[in-house]
Structure formats: C-alpha cells, structure tokens
Amino acid sequence: MRLENKKALITGALRGIGKTITDLFIAEGAEVWGLDYKTPEDLSDRVSAAKGKLHWVQLDLSKTAEIDGVIESAVKEADGFDILVNNAGITKDNLSFRMSLEEWQKVLDINLSAAFFVARTVARDMIRKRTGSIINMASVVGIHGNGGQANYSASKAGLIGVTKSLANEVASRGVRVNALAPGYIESDMTAAVPEEARKKMTEVIPMKRTGKQEDVARAALFFASDDSSYITGQVLPVDGGMYF
Ligand code: NAD
C-alpha cells in the first residue's frame, strides 16, 4: 500500500495505460480522480466497483478554455491532489509534407498545452501544501523523433521541456515533476501497427518484447510514491532498452 491516504488525478483514465495506472494506484491505497471525455454516468459501473476509491471528471482536453475551471473544481472537491499523472494523449500521424494544420494543432493542444494547463493548476495547490508529485507521460519519440510523427514528437519533446522547467520552479516548495518516456507499449494507440512492423520493432528492442501497460504503471508508481523522494526533473525511459 505505497499510496495510502494519497489522492491522485489521472488524465486519460478511460482506457489503456491511464486505466492501468488508475487500477494500480487504487490497489496501492490511493483515492483516484480519473479524467477523460466520457461522462460519470458512462463510468458508473467502474466507479461503483471501486467502492469510493474512484471519482470521475469529464473533460475534453482539446477544449483548452474549459481546462482551468474544471481542474480548479476537481482540486477543490479532492481538497488538493498529492499526485498528478498527465497521461492523456493522441496521435495523428502523417508525413511532414502532408500534415494538415488540424493534425498538427490537435496533437499539440491535447498532448502539450492541456498537460501544461492541468499541471499548473494542480501544482498551484501542491506548492501551498509543500508536497506533491507530477508525472508527465512523454515518449521515446519525444527524445529521438520518428518519421511520420513530427506533431507527436514535438508535443512529447515539449512536454519534457515543461517537465524540467516546472520541476525547476517548484522544487524548493516540495513538489517533484518527472516524465516517463515509454517505448512501444501494447494499447489501443499501437493496435493499428501492422504485424510486420511490430515484428521488426520487437527485433530491435534488446529485451525482445513489446511493453505491457503494467510496465509503465509500475514506473509511474515509483515516481508517485516516496520511493523517488529525491528525484525531480528526470525523464525515465520505459522501453525495454530500445535506445540505451
Ligand atoms: P490510448 O489511446 O489507449 O489512451 C489514451 C487515453 O487518453 C484514452 O483514455 C483517451 O480517451 C484519452 N484522451 C485522448 N484524447 C482526450 C481528450 N481530448 N480529452 C480527454 N481524454 C482524452 O493510448 P495509450 O497507449 O494508453 O497512451 C497513454 C499515454 O502514453 C499517451 O500520452 C501516449 O502518448 C503515451 N505513450 C504511449 C505509448 C504506446 O506505445 N502506447 C508510447 C509512448 C507514450
């Protein structure tokens, strides 16, 4: 129970890595506010099964103007968060010369701008309490780039910049900010990758397997818990050794 008495806000908690982090944090004793674009009514079965440990916040993170108000209300309802996981993210892949303004802008809005606005509002309360851990879900692609993903790479590289800058601003107030950089993780996001490309990718991963959502969730637990109490401003790859 490494997160006993902790309150966490997790974005993109509906499915995939965000859902797995939500389930693990609850199992470790945390009370979680899951945020996604579905309504609390859509999630009623999951919320009641969690027996008071899961609350639901509905927000479409592409609606930038709504973010501050919704997050301020969630902070008030929870009486402050100890942990924030900025996990929500999308891809809209295309070659740079074919990429539309919409494909560029939407990915930057959700993956980077929304994450920054959520972090800033949550951190404002954390610094008052002089404790907190913020975890931003970046990607190996934000460090190394990837053909066909100029928008996504830029958003994740930007998120790494936000991580280090914010970490610098809040470190002396007891708040830590770190990022995870997953490699190839099995989820809806990667489900569309053709089998041949998946095989090739697996061959170049030294651990010879793709990542599981639990691999990322356990790394998030490390940053969320006091096990990482003297670590801030860092980017931890969770990639089976893809780039060492
Ligand atoms: P996913 O598509 O399965 O889940 C993404 C979640 O974000 C969903 O719950 C979705 O509803 C939510 N979301 C998307 N747009 C939203 C919006 N506008 N408002 C509110 N919620 C929104 O993807 P995943 O693989 O679980 O990815 C989770 C995070 O991990 C993302 O930030 C992704 O970029 C990152 N990541 C994934 C991989 C991978 O290989 N799967 C690798 C590196 C980084």
Side-chain angles (χ1 to χ4, degrees), residues 11-18 35-37 59-62 86-91 110-111 137-140 152 156 181-190 213:
T11 73
L14 182 65
R15 62 164 195 260
I17 295 169
L35 183 150
D36 217 295
Y37 56 77
L59 178 63
D60 178 347
L61 289 162
S62 67
N86 254 325
N87 163 79
I90 60 162
T91 52
I110 294 171
N111 296 8
M137 199 60 73
S139 166
V140 289
Y152 184 76
K156 296 300 188 181
Y184 187 104
I185 310 297
E186 299 292 345
S187 77
D188 285 357
M189 189 176 268
T190 47
Q213 293 172 14

Side-chain angles (χ1 to χ4, degrees), residues 66-78 81 121-122 124:
E66 293 178 18
I67 295 176
D68 284 356
V70 172
I71 301 301
E72 273 163 20
S73 302
V75 168
K76 213 176 255 172
E77 188 189 304
F81 292 109
T121 301
V122 171
R124 206 170 273 137

Side-chain angles (χ1 to χ4, degrees), residues 54-211:
L54 177 62
H55 312 267
W56 201 256
V57 183
Q58 186 206 5
L59 178 63
D60 178 347
L61 289 162
S62 67
K63 299 193 171 145
T64 315
E66 293 178 18
I67 295 176
D68 284 356
V70 172
I71 301 301
E72 273 163 20
S73 302
V75 168
K76 213 176 255 172
E77 188 189 304
D79 191 23
F81 292 109
D82 305 285
I83 302 154
L84 164 66
V85 186
N86 254 325
N87 163 79
I90 60 162
T91 52
K92 280 189 183 292
D93 298 352
N94 212 338
L95 292 172
S96 296
F97 299 109
R98 292 193 190 143
M99 190 169 287
S100 67
L101 178 61
E102 199 265 341
E103 286 167 336
W104 173 264
Q105 197 58 53
K106 193 109 195 221
V107 169
L108 268 292
D109 283 350
I110 294 171
N111 296 8
L112 178 59
S113 305
F116 172 62
F117 294 132
V118 172
R120 181 166 82 153
T121 301
V122 171
R124 206 170 273 137
D125 173 78
M126 285 176 167
I127 61 176
R128 238 176 270 135
K129 296 193 169 126
R130 303 214 155 238
T131 181
S133 173
I134 295 174
I135 300 144
N136 291 323
M137 199 60 73
S139 166
V140 289
V141 164
I143 305 169
H144 301 281
N146 194 25
Q149 290 197 308
N151 51 357
Y152 184 76
S153 310
S155 72
K156 296 300 188 181
L159 194 53
I160 290 171
V162 165
T163 301
K164 291 175 186 242
S165 303
L166 188 60
N168 188 295
E169 291 176 26
V170 299
S172 66
R173 316 285 192 89
V175 180
R176 300 182 294 109
V177 189
N178 291 288
L180 294 173
Y184 187 104
I185 310 297
E186 299 292 345
S187 77
D188 285 357
M189 189 176 268
T190 47
V193 175
E195 192 47 42
E196 199 49 39
R198 184 189 311 264
K199 257 195 196 152
K200 268 197 188 148
M201 197 106 63
T202 310
E203 276 163 22
V204 301
I205 299 171
M207 289 184 74
K208 299 293 173 214
R209 69 166 177 88
T210 53

